[in-house]
């Protein structure tokens, strides 16, 4: 009997041109200090579809996005994806240079990804919702929730 040994592929991701440029420069800057994090980020950037800044939907994780996701290890979590200097886990601000931060970039609500923690363990999470910071002068974040069909299955 044949066994299905399907290899799980990473989901398609989109990254804006400006995020791509900033993150490429960041990865290059950190290459000597943290080569593993730099390499992981560069690998994600390499597989991403880079699009014009205005062509990334509100439901796509970019720098500054707030993301609610359901990890395989427990309850829902909500974090904001930030640059290393702004990271503060006690405030829910996760650096792009962490394994989970790198896994989040470019995903959309409803997508899941398997990622490897620093201790070598593999994890998976499902993105439930993504919101973007409000533009200057606007008071509300723009929210893009997961589809009702996915929400019902949770």
């Amino acid at each position: 009997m044949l066994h299905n040994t399907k290899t799980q592929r990473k989901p398609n991701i989109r990254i804006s041109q400006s995020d791509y440029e900033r993150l490429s420069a960041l990865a290059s800057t950190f290459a000597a200090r943290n080569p593993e994090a730099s390499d992981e980020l560069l690998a994600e950037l390499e597989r991403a579809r880079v699009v014009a800044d205005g062509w990334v939907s509100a439901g796509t994780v970019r720098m500054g996005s707030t993301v609610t996701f359901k990890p395989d290890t427990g309850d829902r979590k909500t974090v904001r994806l930030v640059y290393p200097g702004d990271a503060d886990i006690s405030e829910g601000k996760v650096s792009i240079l962490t394994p989970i931060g790198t896994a989040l970039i470019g995903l959309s609500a409803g997508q899941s990804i398997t990622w490897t923690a620093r201790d070598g363990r593999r994890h998976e999470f499902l993105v439930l919702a993504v919101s973007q910071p409000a533009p200057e002068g606007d008071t509300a974040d723009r929210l893009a929730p997961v589809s009702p069909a996915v929400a019902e299955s949770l």
Side-chain angles (χ1 to χ4, degrees):
M1 177 156 89
L2 294 175
H3 294 286
N4 185 359
T5 57
K6 184 173 138 185
T7 303
Q8 188 170 7
R9 295 178 57 187
K10 290 191 174 191
N12 294 329
I13 59 174
R14 285 182 168 217
I15 296 178
S16 70
Q17 183 68 41
S18 61
D19 272 354
Y20 178 85
E21 290 169 5
R22 288 182 195 125
L23 294 174
S24 294
L26 177 70
S28 296
T29 301
F30 273 80
R33 285 183 266 175
N34 192 341
E36 188 174 307
S38 176
D39 289 348
E40 283 295 317
L41 180 54
L42 287 170
E44 287 299 286
L45 293 173
E46 187 68 30
R47 73 181 195 84
R49 180 170 179 213
V50 180
V51 297
D53 290 356
W55 287 92
V56 178
S57 75
T60 300
V61 179
R62 351 174 218 204
M63 295 307 298
S65 295
T66 298
V67 186
T68 300
F69 61 95
K70 184 173 183 182
D72 58 2
T73 57
D75 295 331
R76 297 174 185 208
K77 298 184 184 301
T78 300
V79 299
R80 182 171 298 262
L81 186 61
V82 298
Y83 290 97
D86 297 324
D88 185 341
I89 197 65
S90 67
E91 293 181 14
K93 296 177 180 177
V94 173
S95 170
I96 183 67
L97 288 178
T98 62
I100 198 163
T102 299
L104 283 168
I105 193 72
L107 293 175
S108 298
Q111 288 186 302
S112 62
I113 192 168
T114 301
W115 59 282
T116 304
R118 288 187 176 137
D119 63 7
R121 290 186 296 171
R122 295 184 59 77
H123 298 281
E124 184 174 5
F125 64 76
L126 170 67
V127 176
L128 302 174
V130 179
S131 65
Q132 305 303 330
E136 293 289 321
D138 196 347
T139 57
D141 282 356
R142 294 171 289 169
L143 179 64
V146 70
S147 72
V150 172
E152 285 179 23
S153 71
L154 300 176

